[in-house]
Amino acid sequence: MLTKNPSTILGTILVLFSGGVLYLVSQFSTAAEEFRALSPKFFPDFLGWVLLVLGTIIFVQGVRRPPALVFSDRPEKAAVVRAVLFVFLVGAYLYFLPALGFVVVTALFMLAAQFLLGEKHVILNILRTGVFVFLVNYLFSSLLRVPLPLGPWGF
């Protein structure tokens, strides 16, 4: 049985992943930087650095905790079913995104994902979903000028 601390493993994975993201972003073309205030490299570069910092924090927290089991002997059946359903939910999200548009599909995805993860407060789920979808749509469409898929209704 693997007895390292789960936080050290997760932190290591995040640090390695963020290193890969930062390396790939550094390979992007810099031609657009002359014409825009924010280059196309800004957002992925920012996310790479955030992942690096958060991964390091998780790793350090894991080092300070005593070793614990990473995996239990057998996962619960309900957790396995929810994980498989979540994978299918992500596949459905990607399939319907071009046809129905970002706003509708993301809202339905978030509501279903919160239900699968065990959140039972319907009103709170709807409020969270509405705020998140509005903010992400505004951020990408208006501020960053990144076109998101539009549905047949024009949003």
Side-chain angles (χ1 to χ4, degrees):
M1 185 62 59
L2 190 57
T3 58
K4 301 274 187 212
N5 195 312
S7 295
T8 59
I9 294 170
L10 177 63
T12 302
I13 291 170
L14 281 176
V15 167
L16 291 174
F17 180 74
S18 66
V21 168
L22 290 171
Y23 173 74
L24 289 174
V25 170
S26 71
Q27 302 301 313
F28 286 176
S29 171
T30 58
E33 291 179 4
E34 299 173 16
F35 306 108
R36 292 183 172 186
L38 283 177
S39 76
K41 292 172 55 172
F42 173 76
F43 198 63
D45 197 33
F46 175 73
L47 288 179
W49 284 107
V50 168
L51 274 175
L52 181 66
V53 168
L54 293 177
T56 305
I57 291 171
I58 291 172
F59 179 80
V60 169
Q61 286 177 346
V63 168
R64 291 183 178 180
R65 291 187 193 144
L69 290 176
V70 176
F71 301 106
S72 63
D73 292 332
R74 282 185 83 102
E76 296 177 15
K77 185 177 180 181
V80 172
V81 169
R82 283 195 313 265
V84 170
L85 286 174
F86 192 80
V87 169
F88 283 120
L89 184 64
V90 170
Y93 175 79
L94 294 174
Y95 179 79
F96 288 112
L97 185 63
L100 297 178
F102 174 79
V103 173
V104 173
V105 176
T106 303
L108 292 173
F109 172 78
M110 280 192 65
L111 289 171
Q114 289 178 67
F115 176 73
L116 270 178
L117 294 173
E119 187 62 46
K120 302 293 184 204
H121 301 284
V122 176
I123 302 297
L124 201 57
N125 289 347
I126 292 172
L127 285 173
R128 256 188 248 137
T129 299
V131 169
F132 178 80
V133 169
F134 171 76
L135 288 176
V136 169
N137 191 32
Y138 178 74
L139 172 72
F140 280 94
S141 297
S142 299
L143 296 179
L144 297 174
R145 304 219 189 277
V146 174
L148 295 173
L150 296 176
W153 306 282
F155 56 87

